[in-house]
Amino acid sequence: KSSQQVFALGVRGDSMMDAHILSGDTVLVQEQATAANGDIVVALVDGDATVKRYYFENGRVRLQPENSRMPPLYFDSGDLRIIGKVVGVMRRLS
């Protein structure tokens, strides 16, 4: 039994479609304040939650959409907060 909490978060938008996370899906998120390069995370930016792939490089954070039509987002470490790592996706089929 893990002491870590998991919560569900609804997804809006198509920024993660190439990772098979679609608008209307629900992601399962393991609460944690840190991430490793390449993790898909939920980050809090200016009060809004966003789901992106996480990279720490050159002293700043890159949140990379999994949609080739969207540019990466760059932040200083203090300008965002990692609230968890995506560990699953649920989709309603009908």
Side-chain angles (χ1 to χ4, degrees):
K1 182 175 176 179
S2 173
S3 63
Q4 294 177 317
Q5 298 293 315
V6 175
F7 64 93
L9 180 70
V11 175
R12 290 190 317 252
D14 60 357
S15 69
M16 294 301 288
M17 63 187 237
D18 294 340
H20 308 288
I21 300 173
L22 307 177
S23 191
D25 286 352
T26 300
V27 291
L28 300 176
V29 183
Q30 178 178 292
E31 285 185 23
Q32 59 186 62
T34 61
N37 282 340
D39 284 349
I40 296 176
V41 301
V42 175
L44 203 56
V45 180
D46 294 330
D48 293 322
T50 188
V51 178
K52 301 285 185 285
R53 199 166 293 273
Y54 171 93
Y55 296 94
F56 185 78
E57 52 194 23
N58 301 321
R60 62 183 181 166
V61 173
R62 173 171 52 106
L63 294 181
Q64 181 68 47
E66 288 286 338
N67 180 332
S68 59
R69 297 183 321 247
M70 296 181 159
L73 307 170
Y74 293 95
F75 299 94
D76 291 328
S77 296
D79 292 342
L80 67 98
R81 183 168 62 101
I82 303 299
I83 57 175
K85 176 182 173 179
V86 173
V87 294
V89 179
M90 296 187 312
R91 178 173 301 136
R92 180 170 223 129
L93 296 177
S94 59

